[in-house]
Amino acid sequence: RKLFVANNTVAIDESFNLAETENSKTDFLFIGTLYPQKGIDILLNTYIKLNESIALPNLHIIGAGPMEAMLKNMIESNKLQNKVILHGAIYDQKILVKFFSKSLVCISPTQAGLSVLLRMGYGGPFLTSADAITGGEIFNIKNGENGFIYDGTDQDLQKTIVWIVNNRDNVLAMGREAKKHYDNNRKPSDMANAIMDSIEYTLNR
């Protein structure tokens, strides 16, 4: 009874309506700083390899950082300018919600931070590895229910992405579960209430 957990989270645009966006959810999305800890190079190399054999949705990359020039060269050398789009850093929620509304899944191979909650708040699953760098946000993901956790190997990442491409309806259902988890447990008010409960408990002792 002496322990209180204020689960870390982010606010979303409250005007967002999941039901209105499901028909347009087709793309892959990466959001975050473009540095090695995120594994964006792992994602892009996997995308390039799979694109040789199956039809992949567009991959939108939102963020800036030291790997930006290298990623641009990889995209151009593989002639993927029309399928992999670098958008730079975007912080405006009104703009971000448009990308989340069109993305089927958000992928960050080796880091699972607050973008997990952002993706869930906008009704979609998050894909990351079991040993991803995290501040605890990864524990919101229930593998196969509201998101994806792969075993950290390139083969399993490829296998998971192929499954996502071939099972869109299942992925949409997982997105609804992710949204439910956010709405029921991870709103900013849930975080604030936990802090308030701890204060009230202390004051009443």
Side-chain angles (χ1 to χ4, degrees):
R1 290 183 301 164
K2 297 178 181 179
L3 298 178
F4 298 84
V5 179
N7 290 289
N8 205 7
T9 192
V10 292
I12 65 167
D13 186 338
E14 294 184 359
S15 66
F16 173 77
N17 187 310
L18 177 59
E20 294 176 354
T21 68
E22 286 198 337
N23 288 336
S24 62
K25 287 184 180 294
T26 55
D27 299 333
F28 289 165
L29 177 66
F30 171 94
I31 180 168
T33 306
L34 305 181
Y35 64 169
Q37 291 89 334
K38 296 276 187 178
I40 178 60
D41 55 327
I42 295 173
L43 172 57
L44 186 52
N45 279 318
T46 299
Y47 187 96
I48 291 169
K49 183 175 181 61
L50 287 177
N51 191 60
E52 297 173 355
S53 57
I54 65 172
L56 290 174
N58 291 342
L59 169 60
H60 294 275
I61 299 173
I62 297 176
M67 295 182 71
E68 189 167 356
M70 184 198 77
L71 297 173
K72 184 177 181 182
N73 288 336
M74 289 176 65
I75 292 167
E76 291 177 352
S77 63
N78 288 277
K79 297 180 173 57
L80 289 172
Q81 296 94 320
N82 293 327
K83 297 203 69 174
V84 182
I85 303 96
L86 291 168
H87 295 277
I90 300 174
Y91 303 104
D92 188 329
Q93 284 270 3
K94 297 293 184 184
I95 299 175
L96 286 174
V97 70
K98 296 178 181 178
F99 286 97
F100 282 111
S101 295
K102 294 181 179 180
S103 67
L104 192 59
V105 63
C106 188
I107 308 172
S108 180
T110 56
Q111 189 163 357
L114 283 172
S115 54
V116 173
L117 280 308
L118 196 59
R119 170 70 281 189
M120 287 184 158
Y122 286 118
F126 195 93
L127 166 57
T128 192
S129 61
D131 59 353
I133 300 167
T134 184
E137 294 84 0
I138 194 173
F139 299 119
N140 292 281
I141 302 174
K142 295 181 180 179
N143 189 32
E145 294 182 28
N146 63 13
F148 302 93
I149 298 178
Y150 75 100
D151 66 11
T153 65
D154 292 344
Q155 293 79 9
D156 199 40
L157 178 58
Q158 293 171 24
K159 178 182 176 182
T160 304
I161 289 176
V162 170
W163 189 91
I164 290 169
V165 171
N166 293 330
N167 293 274
R168 183 175 181 273
D169 288 343
N170 296 66
V171 178
L172 291 176
M174 292 170 68
R176 291 190 287 272
E177 288 300 313
K179 175 65 170 167
K180 187 186 301 181
H181 173 71
Y182 176 90
D183 288 343
N184 292 341
N185 306 287
R186 294 295 183 269
K187 300 182 302 299
S189 59
D190 295 315
M191 183 179 182
N193 286 336
I195 298 172
M196 292 169 60
D197 288 344
S198 69
I199 294 171
E200 290 175 3
Y201 173 86
T202 304
L203 292 174
N204 291 329
R205 296 298 291 175

